[in-house]
Amino acid sequence: MGSEGAGAGFGDAEVDGWSAGHALGLVALGAEEGEGEVQSLDLTGPAFPFGPVLAGEEYEDELDGLGDWVDDFLLPVYGAEVTTAAPWCPRWQEHDGVVAWLHALRLACQQHKDPEAGLAGMFVWHRDFLTHAMAAVRAPGGPLSACMTSPDRPTHRLLPGPPASARTQENSSAQAEGPAAEPEPDDASGPVS
């Protein structure tokens, strides 16, 4: 286990043949039927450097499998009660962050239930993955906080994310204005050291 090669970036790190991109690469939006362009969340750029992205039918197939795992295993066993302290959303598949967390949780479950993980494999999954992921997904201020907080009141609302950083906004506006003119050298100032 470990990263392949010295100096490998986080997106290049592999554990048992799985890169971080595999764990989080599910988060993408497939193209609408009949459209020639795939609309996807860019998980390969500087904002989210985690490798390959699934799109279209491949994404839908993976999301269907994840939905089955969540509905048939995760929620019946670990779902607990829906409250303001532990919200849920019947349309969780529309929350990209939730999909990423649950997909990574499912991959970790598959890895830790493998006989090669040893007898304590599922204990490790519970301790290191399940508890943390469910706490993050179902936190009162988490990605589902504007959704269902009572089974009697099913609600769904996607919360807007924070705005881009000031640096990103400055870079975007500078690129929109075009290349900056180079300052002319000032002969009176003398040599620069």
Side-chain angles (χ1 to χ4, degrees):
M1 272 199 261
S3 63
E4 298 292 319
F10 181 73
D12 298 329
E14 288 195 15
V15 176
D16 294 334
W18 287 88
S19 69
H22 288 102
L24 296 173
L26 173 63
V27 181
L29 303 173
E32 295 296 321
E33 192 170 327
E35 290 184 19
E37 184 176 330
V38 173
Q39 299 291 323
S40 66
L41 179 62
D42 180 13
L43 300 182
T44 60
F48 206 81
F50 292 118
V53 177
L54 300 178
E57 189 174 325
E58 187 179 21
Y59 172 79
E60 292 300 323
D61 290 346
E62 190 66 24
L63 191 59
D64 286 344
L66 179 61
D68 291 343
W69 183 78
V70 168
D71 292 340
D72 298 340
F73 170 70
L74 187 67
L75 288 181
V77 178
Y78 304 104
E81 183 179 7
V82 175
T83 66
T84 55
W88 185 248
C89 184
R91 293 168 52 185
W92 60 266
Q93 297 94 336
E94 296 176 25
H95 297 266
D96 291 338
V98 173
V99 171
W101 271 104
L102 295 178
H103 182 62
L105 183 62
R106 179 181 179 213
L107 291 177
C109 181
Q110 290 170 344
Q111 178 182 357
H112 285 82
K113 73 179 185 178
D114 188 280
E116 289 185 21
L119 296 175
M122 287 305 290
F123 173 80
V124 172
W125 179 76
H126 281 88
R127 183 194 66 203
D128 294 349
F129 299 95
L130 175 70
T131 304
H132 183 67
M134 292 300 277
V137 167
R138 298 191 66 191
L144 302 178
S145 61
C147 294
M148 185 170 67
T149 56
S150 167
D152 299 331
R153 295 184 312 271
T155 308
H156 168 71
R157 192 177 92 191
L158 294 173
L159 296 172
S165 70
R167 182 173 186 262
T168 300
Q169 290 175 2
E170 289 168 5
N171 288 342
S172 295
S173 63
Q175 287 177 353
E177 294 172 8
E182 298 223 5
E184 294 184 24
D186 185 5
D187 294 329
S189 66
V192 177
S193 35

